[in-house]
Amino acid sequence: MEDGDSGEGTSYKREILERLEENSRKIPFWRMKCRKQGQENRNSSVSESINGADADEVLRLKQEIGEIYKLKSKNDQNLIDANRKVTDCEAQILSVTTEKQNLRKELDKSYVKIAGMEVELAKLKTDNATVNDERLALAVSCNALTEKKKQLEDEHMQLLNRIRDLNEQRAENMNAEIALQEQRRQLRIQEEIAKAVNDTSRDARANSALKSMPAGLGELNDVMYGDHLPTFKMLKFQADEGEVSEIHWLTGETFATGGSDRHISLWRLGHGEAQSRIGTLAGCNASVTRIDFDFEKRSLLASCNDKNVRLWNIDTRRLLVTLSGHTDKVSSARFLQSGNAISGSFDRTIKLWDLGNQRCSRTFLAGSTVLDITRNCILGNALFLSGHMDKKVRAWDGRSAECIRSLEFSKRITSLDLSTDGHYMLSSTRDDTLSLIDLRTFGIVHDYSAEQYQSSSDMARCVISPGGEYIAAGSSCGHVFIWNTDTTRLEKVLRGGNENPVLSLSWNPTGVGLLSADKIKSVVYWK
């Protein structure tokens, strides 16, 4: 409450008190006067009325007292309101004071927090300066390392070029050595022939040896004499330094082997059924997975696990072409037609190569890992087939980017082989079953299986005999199983040769003789 309100209330109270005291003094006087007059009147027994002047005065006093009471009531109410305002103001002042104290505490806390943040900010500025210095130092180091990396890359390229030159030089040296050995061998043969001309005592032994051999096998060549069921082991030898994943006849008396030792060995069978290494093809940087041979051009094609396909001339032993473009292991490669080749890879693509220009002319998106591939030059020059991890065999036309036919099996396809007439294809699957497919209808003609036969791996190869009378496949137990193509009867199980899972087979183009290669370097010639 303001000071003016307080003074006004006090003056009202004072005025009221003064008037009440004055009225108190007047009222007893009139009462006494009235009692005295009444008594006089009683004593005198004369009733006299109060004169008009006194009555007016009493009335005026009564009215004045009523006004005073009204004024007093008003002043009391004003006093109550004023006290209430004073109480509210005191409570508000107390609340404001409390809030002010709380705000002062918060302000003190804020000052402390600001001081701490300023200290932390100063520390962060220092750390930032340190980090910035380190960043600049790292940038300098990074630039230096980048320059060093460029130098190392240049040195790496120089080393690769040098290694390539050394490999070429090594291949040339090996070819020269092989040529020298061949020349020495020819000279030795000429000397033996000259001696044989003078020594007629060997004629009888030669004639008896020729009579003891099957008809037409006096000299191995590429002429097909008809399929002959192998029954016994003629020869066993250690071919390479690692597992032999592929074996392939080149002619009636020469064959090639490839595997984990990263090179391809060329072999020849002599008249006494003894093998001799006649050459080595170098250049692969990983295991050899598949071999194909073009007799007319004397060219050998091989797929490798180093994502490349390579082409050699077997007469000069020179590496002619390295085909790069796959992004994963190349599982198979084949000559397609004159001047072209195809390859399938674990990167789920098939590539058509132009060997003349040494480039990929088309890429086919197979959609699944390619485990084997074969071509059909009988039904069409551009037709080829592929076996896949997704259990399907797909037929392709090199002139179209899409698959033209497909056939699904119960398990993934591990191997494909084509009959000589090009009408049938043999496929092996991981459910230990072989199937013969008629390519004219693209339907399964026969299925082949045996109780002890088990497919040895995803890369195990099956073969059809040159005359189409038999089919053969190697088992994980080291045995070779041979079925009759038409009757599906198991004709023969070749035991006692390979002691480890058989990975590859190759039937001699004459129809007489079968080669089997296993996982631990062994090659067996069955006859």
Side-chain angles (χ1 to χ4, degrees):
M1 185 174 60
E2 299 179 357
D3 294 340
D5 293 338
S6 179
E8 182 181 358
T10 304
S11 61
Y12 278 124
K13 291 178 181 181
R14 188 181 298 109
E15 183 178 356
I16 292 171
L17 291 175
E18 290 178 354
R19 290 188 180 185
L20 289 175
E21 289 177 357
E22 183 180 356
N23 290 333
S24 298
R25 287 194 303 270
K26 289 180 179 181
I27 290 174
F29 171 76
W30 288 107
R31 286 180 177 174
M32 292 177 62
K33 187 176 180 179
C34 289
R35 287 194 195 97
K36 186 177 180 180
Q37 288 179 356
Q39 186 176 5
E40 289 179 354
N41 291 333
R42 284 193 300 272
N43 293 328
S44 61
S45 301
V46 178
S47 298
E48 293 181 355
S49 60
I50 301 173
N51 58 26
D54 292 335
D56 293 336
E57 182 67 18
V58 170
L59 182 59
R60 186 185 63 79
L61 291 174
K62 287 182 178 181
Q63 291 177 351
E64 187 176 357
I65 290 171
E67 293 294 333
I68 290 171
Y69 277 119
K70 289 180 180 180
L71 185 59
K72 178 179 179 299
S73 299
K74 184 177 180 181
N75 290 335
D76 290 340
Q77 186 64 39
N78 290 335
L79 181 61
I80 291 170
D81 294 338
N83 289 332
R84 186 182 298 110
K85 287 181 180 180
V86 169
T87 303
D88 293 341
C89 289
E90 289 176 351
Q92 188 175 0
I93 291 170
L94 180 61
S95 176
V96 170
T97 303
T98 304
E99 186 177 359
K100 179 180 178 181
Q101 292 175 355
N102 293 333
L103 290 175
R104 175 63 64 181
K105 293 179 180 179
E106 293 292 332
L107 183 62
D108 294 339
K109 292 180 180 180
S110 298
Y111 285 146
V112 173
K113 188 175 181 180
I114 289 172
M117 293 179 70
E118 288 177 350
V119 173
E120 186 176 359
L121 179 61
K123 184 179 178 181
L124 289 175
K125 287 181 178 179
T126 303
D127 294 341
N128 186 34
T130 304
V131 171
N132 192 32
D133 294 339
E134 293 178 355
R135 182 185 64 82
L136 294 176
L138 289 175
V140 173
S141 301
C142 181
N143 293 332
L145 291 174
T146 302
E147 294 295 331
K148 188 175 181 180
K149 179 185 175 185
K150 291 181 180 179
Q151 295 177 0
L152 291 175
E153 288 178 350
D154 295 337
E155 293 177 358
H156 179 66
M157 290 301 298
Q158 294 175 2
L159 288 174
L160 288 178
N161 293 331
R162 186 176 178 184
I163 290 172
R164 184 183 62 188
D165 295 338
L166 290 174
N167 285 334
E168 292 178 356
Q169 184 178 358
R170 177 177 172 233
E172 292 177 357
N173 293 335
M174 292 179 64
N175 293 333
E177 183 180 356
I178 292 169
L180 182 60
Q181 292 178 357
E182 183 68 18
Q183 185 178 1
R184 291 174 179 173
R185 191 176 69 86
Q186 294 293 337
L187 291 175
R188 188 170 59 254
I189 292 174
Q190 291 177 3
E191 292 176 357
E192 291 178 356
I193 291 174
K195 291 180 180 180
V197 170
N198 298 324
D199 187 6
T200 58
S201 62
R202 297 184 178 179
D203 294 342
R205 293 196 300 271
N207 292 329
S208 62
L210 288 173
K211 291 179 180 179
S212 64
M213 299 176 71
L217 289 181
E219 181 178 355
L220 291 174
N221 49 47
D222 291 329
V223 180
M224 186 183 297
Y225 297 102
D227 292 339
H228 176 73
L229 182 65
T231 56
F232 61 95
K233 178 180 66 176
M234 285 291 297
L235 177 67
K236 179 178 180 180
F237 64 96
Q238 300 293 316
D240 300 315
E241 297 178 1
E243 68 177 32
V244 182
S245 57
E246 173 69 338
I247 190 166
H248 188 81
W249 283 101
L250 306 181
T251 64
E253 59 182 4
T254 60
F255 61 93
T257 60
S260 60
D261 60 357
R262 304 183 181 184
H263 66 260
I264 297 172
S265 299
L266 304 179
W267 306 86
R268 175 180 283 116
L269 287 178
H271 295 294
E273 306 300 347
Q275 91 288 352
S276 61
R277 191 192 299 266
I278 60 174
T280 301
L281 305 179
C284 297
N285 298 318
S287 299
V288 177
T289 57
R290 198 66 153 144
I291 296 174
D292 198 16
F293 181 63
D294 187 340
F295 179 79
E296 294 181 358
K297 294 189 176 182
R298 308 296 292 171
S299 298
L300 186 143
L301 187 72
S303 57
C304 304
N305 280 339
D306 62 1
K307 309 176 186 177
N308 297 318
V309 178
R310 291 176 174 84
L311 181 70
W312 291 266
N313 182 285
I314 64 168
D315 294 330
T316 63
R317 314 289 194 264
R318 291 183 61 86
L319 177 63
L320 302 178
V321 178
T322 297
L323 305 173
S324 302
H326 286 291
T327 59
D328 206 339
K329 296 183 293 185
V330 184
S331 57
S332 183
R334 294 281 194 178
F335 289 106
L336 181 60
Q337 53 188 348
S338 179
N340 291 297
I342 50 174
S343 62
S345 170
F346 278 67
D347 63 6
R348 302 182 180 184
T349 64
I350 299 172
K351 290 186 179 292
L352 176 63
W353 303 96
D354 185 342
L355 299 179
N357 296 325
Q358 302 181 16
R359 65 180 182 86
C360 176
S361 58
R362 183 184 290 273
T363 298
F364 304 88
L365 301 178
S368 177
T369 298
V370 182
L371 295 179
D372 199 7
I373 194 167
T374 186
R375 86 288 193 196
N376 192 327
C377 297
I378 304 299
L379 298 181
N381 289 333
L383 180 66
F384 59 93
L385 302 104
S386 57
H388 298 269
M389 186 77 77
D390 65 354
K391 312 174 188 178
K392 290 184 179 180
V393 172
R394 292 178 171 88
W396 306 83
D397 190 332
R399 297 162 296 186
S400 174
E402 299 295 331
C403 166
I404 58 175
R405 298 287 296 271
S406 65
L407 184 63
E408 187 170 1
F409 291 81
S410 60
K411 294 290 184 179
R412 55 185 176 272
I413 311 299
T414 64
S415 176
L416 301 175
D417 192 39
L418 205 65
S419 63
T420 306
D421 58 9
H423 293 160
Y424 298 95
M425 183 183 69
L426 181 66
S427 68
S428 64
T429 55
R430 285 297 278 172
D431 61 355
D432 305 329
T433 303
L434 293 89
S435 301
L436 189 67
I437 302 171
D438 189 339
L439 296 180
R440 294 164 295 186
T441 62
F442 217 72
I444 298 176
V445 179
H446 296 300
D447 288 324
Y448 308 89
S449 62
E451 183 177 354
Q452 296 180 349
Y453 169 71
Q454 291 182 344
S455 180
S456 56
S457 73
D458 286 346
M459 304 300 289
R461 308 303 186 188
C462 61
V463 291
I464 304 177
S465 62
E469 297 181 21
Y470 304 105
I471 65 171
S475 176
S476 60
C477 62
H479 300 159
V480 178
F481 290 75
I482 302 176
W483 291 267
N484 185 287
T485 305
D486 295 329
T487 65
T488 71
R489 185 170 66 91
L490 183 63
E491 296 284 354
K492 188 69 177 178
V493 179
L494 302 177
R495 298 181 174 90
N498 301 100
E499 299 174 356
N500 298 283
V502 177
L503 299 181
S504 182
L505 297 172
S506 183
W507 215 296
N508 192 290
T510 64
V512 180
L514 178 68
L515 289 172
S516 63
D518 64 23
K519 196 171 184 179
I520 312 296
K521 303 186 288 185
S522 296
V523 172
V524 179
Y525 177 49
W526 305 91
K527 197 169 181 180

